[in-house]
Amino acid sequence: MSEADERAPRRRQARGERRITQLLQAAATVFCTAGYTASSTNAIAREAGVSPGTLYQFFPNKEAIAVELSGQLLQEMEATYGQVFTPENARLPLDRLIDAVTDPFIEFNKSNPVFLALIKGPDTPGKLAEDHDVLHRSMVDSVIELLAVRSPSMSPAERALVAQMCFTQFKAGLDLVVQQEGEAREPYVRELKSLLYRYLAPLVGTEAVPEAGGGDQSQEQQDRGKQQAKAAPGASLGAH
Amino acid sequence: MSEADERAPRRRQARGERRITQLLQAAATVFCTAGYTASSTNAIAREAGVSPGTLYQFFPNKEAIAVELSGQLLQEMEATYGQVFTPENARLPLDRLIDAVTDPFIEFNKSNPVFLALIKGPDTPGKLAEDHDVLHRSMVDSVIELLAVRSPSMSPAERALVAQMCFTQFKAGLDLVVQQEGEAREPYVRELKSLLYRYLAPLVGTEAVPEAGGGDQSQEQQDRGKQQAKAAPGASLGAH
Amino acid sequence: MSEADERAPRRRQARGERRITQLLQAAATVFCTAGYTASSTNAIAREAGVSPGTLYQFFPNKEAIAVELSGQLLQEMEATYGQVFTPENARLPLDRLIDAVTDPFIEFNKSNPVFLALIKGPDTPGKLAEDHDVLHRSMVDSVIELLAVRSPSMSPAERALVAQMCFTQFKAGLDLVVQQEGEAREPYVRELKSLLYRYLAPLVGTEAVPEAGGGDQSQEQQDRGKQQAKAAPGASLGAH
Amino acid sequence: MSEADERAPRRRQARGERRITQLLQAAATVFCTAGYTASSTNAIAREAGVSPGTLYQFFPNKEAIAVELSGQLLQEMEATYGQVFTPENARLPLDRLIDAVTDPFIEFNKSNPVFLALIKGPDTPGKLAEDHDVLHRSMVDSVIELLAVRSPSMSPAERALVAQMCFTQFKAGLDLVVQQEGEAREPYVRELKSLLYRYLAPLVGTEAVPEAGGGDQSQEQQDRGKQQAKAAPGASLGAH
DNA sequence: TATGAATGAGTGTTCATTCAT
DNA sequence: TATGAATGAACACTCATTCAT
């Protein structure tokens, strides 16, 4: 009896998880086809082959679906490509760092185009706090950590600023990339990486950063300072 | 008699044009509040204080409103800030060129925040061709012309690529800027300009470009070539 | 002065008549294209190149347009084909009588296809009293007169019944005819005439009817009675 | 368990089918009151006492309602009066054939006046293909089959022509009949039957047609040929 | 748990008609 | 006389969400 009591709920939970997966896949399809704002819960339920009522047993509204989908996507991405925002990556030469971070997202977006739809969020302003901001915030935070590892001397405020810029530009660039068809995408990818490289070079240096062991940290800082000066002399011109 | 025949119709049009202005203002408000996709024609009419039928006497649908509004905004911006994409601006030092182009848009967007909503367009994928593409395309084209003046040696394909990147990044950056409140915006503006500067420096040089007058045009080209090489050595690193 | 007083109104009336003609032509076009029920006054005004307000200065509503159009059409048809429902025609041999009455309408409908739309009326039941019934009633009355001339012995009630049947069937047959394209119409016309012929033959006789001069009217009646018996022996079978 | 799985969905359908019946009845009422073209889906929903959304869960649009209603009506008619277009009926004496076919329709239309509204269809020209054409075409086809049984020597083209004429005339006659009130209808019914009788007599003969069993079919054909010649000598007069 | 029926305010759009000019 | 702007209820149809089963 007690066994049955335990098993039944588990079965139900298992079924529930399957339903949720089903619904999230359907939501991904619909979001991609129609855009987030224009997607309807009825359409998602239909796509999932379940009734509207069933959908509302797992999600209280459309936003919750987007939030959950974002979480699942992020999780899936990590499972597929391993941790992207690792300290090891943070210390790579800049070009390799950019590859290490952007390639997985670009690749991932090819098989899960809903990823872009979610990080872009709805065109409705103000309403974005609840919803796709989960994804947004977590990714910006990851970039901030990356910066903290690579450039510990940078102020938290500047880190936040730079991280937001990076993520925003990557998002916009990815959007531009996926608007291209087939082979036309590659030049856009390269251009996006160039942009990030040139933007970051004077801020975080171009060369690999050795792990901050015992001593001599100041020297590393100095080195990187030089790199920066060399890498982008334009950065010393006024505001630029 | 013939005078009256001519005057009478104009009076009607005057009232009509007043309504159109009213409706466009209402549309601007609604687009900003709700986003383009979620804005309804009925909401616009309500905001304008007219009946739905009245709206449809002047605009056949929502897209037409967006198109007209885009046109009016561009016109208004030009009236306020003058032509922005001029050959003279194209030949300025890069930092001043960027100021000359971005400042009016940023400034203008402060009093007309619908501008951003329009260039962002609906979040519906694929459907963007008809309406806000007017704005989009015209601005990208303007950037292409700017590049053509400043860097005639650049291939058309590259010009298109770079112009799209610039516009896309500016759009995204502006979005980021307006998400900030009050004084917090300024650092974002500066960062956006830095980004554009560093991105463009190796492509179009940082210094003023003399007008291609009588002699020695090839020499000027050479000079800029040198600038570029000096400005961003990182550009020679692999794909970056 | 008194001249001016007289001329001005006349000019206005002349203009008015022109406007009315213009509007009626437009209405004819629209009725034919969209059907009566689906035709809108705005569409008629647009087709006529005038404003909705102008239309309502001449017609209080859509029905009034249909009524007036019916009148004009009837008038025009008479002007074109002469009086169709004449006592002379009534006395022709039946086949020639049918030709004399139906051919003008069929011909006329080729150049004025709105004719059919009007005699068919809207598919809305009950509302037809005011509107196209003018045309309908006047035509049924004409058929009744024809019968009265040709078969004075027929009771008024029977005349009414037969006239209505004739007109109804002609209307329906004409509808069938115009649904055919080009040369396919001719067989339908012939079939329609056959139908009318066979229907009427036992009722009004097939041969010419001499004018009812002084004497011998009863003889004529007898003759026609014989014709009928010969023409359609089936008519004596029960209800048929 | 599997039983419950099967029963549950059926219960839902039961409620749904009740609603469908309700909606179709409401549609019948509205079509009769307002005519097909002027009937609105909202009005049907209102008449059925449900919300517009409910209607659209069962029917995608107005036409679908008409189609379904047509189907139900034909089915109901068959359930009430049995098959009407049977080979047995086709071989009856003409007067009894006409009774056998027309009486059920006339009778049925008394309790289901929407039947006429549906076979009349919208007054919009050209647009009639989709919806009520189901009814129209199926009935014309039935008449064609009747003719095929009764007069196998008739060419397919002629059968089609005659069937269309019969159906058209019956439709128009029925319309005329229902415009009359109470007892006034009977004479119109008789007149309509006379008309059909006289029209068809020379084409399909007036007498019963024995089934084409073993021998001597050609003789039967001959007999009917004679009947025809005798029945309507007018048929040999020119076009008539 | 899952269904699918139900809702009712919402969408974009049209209409016959009126009214100020 | 004629305009064209204005109306507001109506249209066909959709939506996120709820509820009885």
Side-chain angles (χ1 to χ4, degrees):
Chain A
M1 271 303 220
S2 67
E3 272 187 7
D5 281 354
E6 279 172 14
R7 272 177 198 166
R10 276 186 196 163
R11 265 190 211 154
R12 273 172 204 166
Q13 279 187 354
R15 255 209 289 177
E17 296 265 339
R18 248 182 295 138
R19 280 268 184 257
I20 288 176
T21 306
Q22 205 179 0
L23 283 162
L24 291 179
Q25 278 173 346
T29 303
V30 174
F31 286 165
C32 283
T33 313
Y36 178 78
T37 311
S39 295
S40 80
T41 54
N42 281 357
I44 294 169
R46 208 178 310 128
E47 174 75 28
V50 304
S51 66
T54 300
L55 184 150
Y56 277 87
Q57 261 168 356
F58 297 99
F59 302 100
N61 51 44
K62 195 163 69 167
E63 280 185 32
I65 300 174
V67 171
E68 183 63 24
L69 185 53
S70 301
Q72 299 259 111
L73 276 181
L74 210 52
Q75 217 174 305
E76 195 182 333
M77 226 201 67
E78 279 174 2
T80 311
Y81 298 97
Q83 283 277 127
V84 160
F85 298 102
T86 60
E88 291 75 35
N89 282 346
R91 294 196 180 87
L92 290 173
L94 182 53
D95 52 353
R96 291 187 52 208
L97 164 57
I98 289 172
D99 288 344
V101 173
T102 59
D103 281 340
F105 283 103
I106 293 169
E107 236 5 79
F108 184 71
N109 193 71
K110 273 183 195 161
S111 41
N112 297 79
V114 73
F115 177 76
L116 181 60
L118 283 172
I119 59 174
K120 275 176 66 184
D123 64 3
T124 310
K127 282 268 176 141
L128 34 82
E130 321 293 320
D131 187 358
H132 78 296
D133 241 22
V134 174
L135 202 49
H136 191 279
R137 211 183 297 270
S138 102
M139 295 186 73
V140 171
D141 287 350
S142 298
V143 178
I144 288 175
E145 280 176 42
L146 226 54
L147 292 173
V149 170
R150 187 179 186 92
S151 301
S153 63
M154 200 182 268
S155 79
E158 199 184 355
R159 276 206 287 266
L161 175 58
V162 172
Q164 280 188 86
M165 280 299 289
C166 282
F167 181 63
T168 298
Q169 304 303 331
F170 174 69
K171 207 166 61 174
L174 183 55
D175 197 16
L176 196 52
V177 166
V178 302
Q179 278 169 35
Q180 316 306 318
E181 314 243 328
E183 304 198 352
R185 288 187 177 183
E186 200 45 45
Y188 283 85
V189 171
R190 276 198 299 269
E191 201 69 9
L192 174 57
K193 288 183 178 178
S194 295
L195 179 126
L196 290 170
Y197 182 90
R198 291 176 208 157
Y199 171 59
L200 288 171
L203 302 171
V204 303
T206 60
E207 304 194 3
V209 177
E211 188 158 359
D216 225 4
Q217 192 178 350
S218 58
Q219 181 57 36
E220 288 165 13
Q221 288 288 344
Q222 255 186 346
D223 287 351
R224 254 184 295 141
K226 281 182 193 167
Q227 280 175 228
Q228 286 172 26
K230 213 177 67 183
S236 57
L237 285 174
H240 304 292
Chain B
M1 271 300 222
S2 65
E3 273 184 7
D5 281 356
E6 281 170 13
R7 271 174 201 163
R10 278 185 194 163
R11 266 198 198 161
R12 317 294 152 189
Q13 285 186 356
R15 190 153 56 122
E17 287 200 20
R18 250 182 288 137
R19 277 276 180 251
I20 288 176
T21 307
Q22 205 178 357
L23 283 162
L24 290 178
Q25 279 172 348
T29 303
V30 175
F31 285 164
C32 284
T33 313
Y36 179 78
T37 310
S39 296
S40 79
T41 54
N42 281 6
I44 294 169
R46 213 178 303 129
E47 173 74 26
V50 303
S51 66
T54 299
L55 183 150
Y56 280 89
Q57 281 205 333
F58 300 102
F59 302 101
N61 51 47
K62 194 165 68 166
E63 281 187 27
I65 300 176
V67 171
E68 182 63 25
L69 187 51
S70 301
Q72 301 253 111
L73 281 177
L74 279 179
Q75 219 174 305
E76 197 180 328
M77 219 196 75
E78 198 178 314
T80 313
Y81 299 97
Q83 280 275 39
V84 156
F85 297 101
T86 60
E88 291 74 35
N89 282 346
R91 295 197 179 86
L92 290 173
L94 183 55
D95 51 354
R96 293 189 48 211
L97 165 56
I98 288 172
D99 287 344
V101 172
T102 60
D103 281 339
F105 282 107
I106 293 169
E107 208 50 42
F108 184 71
N109 195 72
K110 275 183 195 159
S111 41
N112 295 82
V114 72
F115 180 79
L116 181 60
L118 284 173
I119 59 174
K120 276 174 67 182
D123 64 1
T124 309
K127 283 264 177 144
L128 32 84
E130 316 294 319
D131 89 17
H132 80 296
D133 240 24
V134 175
L135 210 45
H136 191 282
R137 214 182 290 274
S138 98
M139 295 187 68
V140 171
D141 286 350
S142 297
V143 177
I144 287 176
E145 281 177 40
L146 228 53
L147 292 173
V149 170
R150 188 178 185 91
S151 301
S153 61
M154 200 182 264
S155 79
E158 199 183 357
R159 276 205 287 266
L161 176 57
V162 172
Q164 277 185 280
M165 281 298 288
C166 284
F167 179 66
T168 296
Q169 305 301 332
F170 174 69
K171 200 168 63 175
L174 182 57
D175 198 15
L176 194 52
V177 166
V178 302
Q179 279 168 35
Q180 318 305 319
E181 313 241 330
E183 301 196 356
R185 288 188 177 181
E186 199 46 43
Y188 283 86
V189 170
R190 274 199 301 271
E191 202 69 9
L192 174 58
K193 287 183 179 177
S194 295
L195 179 126
L196 290 170
Y197 182 89
R198 293 176 206 157
Y199 171 59
L200 287 171
L203 301 171
V204 303
T206 59
E207 304 195 3
V209 178
E211 188 159 358
D216 227 3
Q217 192 180 346
S218 56
Q219 183 58 36
E220 291 162 11
Q221 291 285 345
Q222 259 185 342
D223 287 352
R224 255 184 296 140
K226 282 180 192 169
Q227 281 174 228
Q228 289 175 22
K230 212 176 67 186
S236 57
L237 285 174
H240 304 292
Chain C
M1 272 303 218
S2 68
E3 271 186 8
D5 282 354
E6 280 173 12
R7 272 177 197 167
R10 275 184 197 166
R11 264 191 212 154
R12 273 172 203 166
Q13 281 187 351
R15 256 211 287 179
E17 298 263 340
R18 249 181 294 137
R19 280 269 185 257
I20 288 176
T21 306
Q22 205 178 359
L23 283 162
L24 291 178
Q25 278 173 346
T29 303
V30 174
F31 285 165
C32 284
T33 313
Y36 178 78
T37 310
S39 296
S40 80
T41 55
N42 282 357
I44 294 169
R46 206 179 312 129
E47 174 76 26
V50 304
S51 65
T54 300
L55 183 152
Y56 278 87
Q57 262 169 355
F58 297 99
F59 303 100
N61 50 46
K62 195 161 71 165
E63 281 186 30
I65 300 174
V67 172
E68 183 63 26
L69 186 52
S70 301
Q72 298 260 112
L73 277 180
L74 209 53
Q75 218 173 305
E76 193 181 334
M77 226 202 66
E78 279 175 2
T80 311
Y81 299 96
Q83 283 278 126
V84 160
F85 298 101
T86 59
E88 292 74 34
N89 281 345
R91 293 195 181 87
L92 289 172
L94 182 53
D95 53 353
R96 291 188 50 208
L97 164 56
I98 288 173
D99 288 342
V101 173
T102 60
D103 282 339
F105 284 103
I106 293 169
E107 234 9 77
F108 184 71
N109 194 71
K110 275 183 195 160
S111 40
N112 297 78
V114 74
F115 177 77
L116 182 59
L118 283 172
I119 58 174
K120 274 176 68 183
D123 63 4
T124 310
K127 283 265 175 146
L128 36 81
E130 320 293 319
D131 187 357
H132 77 295
D133 241 22
V134 175
L135 201 50
H136 190 280
R137 210 182 297 271
S138 101
M139 295 186 71
V140 172
D141 286 349
S142 298
V143 177
I144 288 176
E145 278 176 43
L146 226 54
L147 292 173
V149 170
R150 187 177 186 93
S151 300
S153 62
M154 199 182 267
S155 78
E158 198 184 357
R159 276 206 288 265
L161 175 57
V162 171
Q164 280 189 85
M165 280 299 288
C166 283
F167 181 65
T168 296
Q169 305 302 331
F170 174 68
K171 206 166 60 172
L174 183 55
D175 197 16
L176 195 51
V177 166
V178 301
Q179 279 169 34
Q180 316 306 318
E181 314 245 328
E183 303 198 352
R185 289 187 176 182
E186 199 46 43
Y188 283 83
V189 171
R190 275 198 298 271
E191 201 69 8
L192 173 58
K193 287 184 178 176
S194 294
L195 178 127
L196 290 170
Y197 182 90
R198 293 177 206 156
Y199 171 58
L200 287 171
L203 301 171
V204 303
T206 59
E207 305 195 3
V209 177
E211 189 159 358
D216 228 5
Q217 192 177 348
S218 57
Q219 182 59 38
E220 289 162 15
Q221 289 287 344
Q222 256 185 343
D223 287 351
R224 258 184 293 141
K226 282 181 190 167
Q227 281 174 230
Q228 287 172 24
K230 211 178 68 184
S236 57
L237 286 173
H240 305 290
Chain D
M1 271 300 222
S2 66
E3 272 185 10
D5 282 354
E6 280 170 13
R7 273 175 199 163
R10 279 185 192 163
R11 267 196 199 161
R12 318 293 153 189
Q13 285 186 356
R15 193 156 49 125
E17 287 201 19
R18 251 181 289 134
R19 277 278 181 249
I20 288 177
T21 307
Q22 205 178 355
L23 282 162
L24 290 177
Q25 279 172 348
T29 304
V30 175
F31 286 165
C32 284
T33 315
Y36 179 78
T37 309
S39 296
S40 78
T41 55
N42 281 5
I44 293 169
R46 213 178 304 129
E47 173 74 27
V50 302
S51 65
T54 298
L55 183 151
Y56 280 91
Q57 280 205 332
F58 301 102
F59 302 101
N61 50 49
K62 194 165 68 167
E63 281 187 27
I65 300 175
V67 171
E68 182 64 26
L69 187 52
S70 301
Q72 302 253 111
L73 281 177
L74 278 180
Q75 220 173 305
E76 196 180 331
M77 219 195 76
E78 198 177 314
T80 313
Y81 299 97
Q83 279 274 39
V84 157
F85 297 100
T86 60
E88 291 73 35
N89 282 345
R91 294 196 181 86
L92 290 173
L94 183 55
D95 52 353
R96 292 188 49 211
L97 164 57
I98 288 172
D99 288 343
V101 172
T102 60
D103 281 339
F105 283 107
I106 293 169
E107 208 49 41
F108 183 70
N109 195 72
K110 274 183 194 160
S111 41
N112 297 81
V114 72
F115 180 79
L116 181 59
L118 284 172
I119 59 174
K120 276 174 70 182
D123 66 0
T124 309
K127 284 264 177 143
L128 33 84
E130 317 294 320
D131 90 16
H132 80 296
D133 239 25
V134 175
L135 211 47
H136 191 282
R137 213 181 292 272
S138 96
M139 295 186 68
V140 171
D141 286 350
S142 298
V143 177
I144 288 175
E145 280 176 43
L146 228 53
L147 293 173
V149 170
R150 188 179 186 90
S151 300
S153 62
M154 199 182 268
S155 79
E158 198 183 357
R159 276 206 287 266
L161 174 58
V162 172
Q164 276 185 281
M165 281 299 288
C166 283
F167 178 66
T168 297
Q169 304 301 332
F170 173 68
K171 198 167 64 173
L174 182 56
D175 198 15
L176 193 52
V177 166
V178 301
Q179 280 168 35
Q180 317 305 318
E181 315 239 328
E183 303 196 353
R185 288 187 177 182
E186 200 45 44
Y188 283 84
V189 171
R190 275 199 299 272
E191 201 69 10
L192 173 58
K193 288 183 178 176
S194 294
L195 178 126
L196 289 170
Y197 182 90
R198 292 177 205 155
Y199 170 60
L200 287 170
L203 300 172
V204 303
T206 59
E207 305 197 1
V209 177
E211 188 159 359
D216 227 3
Q217 190 179 349
S218 57
Q219 184 58 36
E220 290 163 13
Q221 289 285 346
Q222 258 184 342
D223 286 353
R224 255 184 298 139
K226 283 180 190 168
Q227 281 175 228
Q228 288 173 23
K230 210 176 70 186
S236 57
L237 284 174
H240 305 291

